[in-house]
Amino acid sequence: MSSGNDRTAREIQGKFRVYFHETIELINSRCPQQKNAFDCGLYLIVFAEEFCRFFDENADKQSNEKEFFDEFINEIQRTITSNYVTQRRKDFKSLLESMSIEKKQNI
């Protein structure tokens, strides 16, 4: 984690403590990153989607938190590529366009 991200992560860690009433461990890990200055939000959305999918598919498996996290990191390193994010951008664009058309038809 860079020093800027580290401070923000620690602030979020403190806020989670209010809800979970326990210490949330911060783990530095390598993960796919954008190669431009404008896809960071898209990567965040894709990570959130993938985490929810991974959690839903693997929540029943017996593993400790570290193993679960390691499996998730391995999964996103395999899954989240530049091409995948580019395709998701197209998917989001299509979704927003179709929602806009539908909204205009309902007016």
Side-chain angles (χ1 to χ4, degrees):
M1 223 180 302
S2 72
S3 59
N5 288 340
D6 190 50
R7 189 185 89 231
T8 302
R10 293 199 186 287
E11 288 174 8
I12 293 169
Q13 177 189 32
K15 291 176 182 178
F16 275 135
R17 191 175 296 131
V18 171
Y19 294 102
F20 297 107
H21 306 292
E22 59 186 66
T23 300
I24 305 296
E25 181 181 358
L26 291 179
I27 301 171
N28 289 322
S29 182
R30 291 223 173 265
C31 62
Q33 295 181 350
Q34 80 269 15
K35 294 177 174 54
N36 56 41
F38 53 84
D39 273 342
C40 55
L42 192 54
Y43 270 74
L44 177 64
I45 291 168
V46 170
F47 284 150
E49 285 180 331
E50 289 300 312
F51 181 76
C52 291
R53 181 197 56 76
F54 184 84
F55 185 84
D56 187 50
E57 291 175 2
N58 295 284
D60 318 1
K61 293 182 181 174
Q62 296 294 323
S63 66
N64 65 40
E65 293 172 2
K66 173 92 170 89
E67 288 172 358
F68 185 85
F69 180 78
D70 288 344
E71 288 175 29
F72 171 66
I73 291 299
N74 289 335
E75 177 77 11
I76 64 170
Q77 286 175 337
R78 185 184 59 74
T79 306
I80 301 178
T81 64
S82 298
N83 290 338
Y84 179 76
V85 173
T86 297
Q87 182 58 51
R88 294 300 292 140
R89 182 187 306 105
K90 292 175 184 176
D91 295 343
F92 287 129
K93 182 179 182 226
S94 294
L95 175 62
L96 292 171
E97 288 171 345
S98 68
M99 290 170 65
S100 176
I101 290 168
E102 185 178 312
K103 177 75 171 171
K104 287 177 184 176
Q105 290 174 347
N106 292 331
I107 293 179

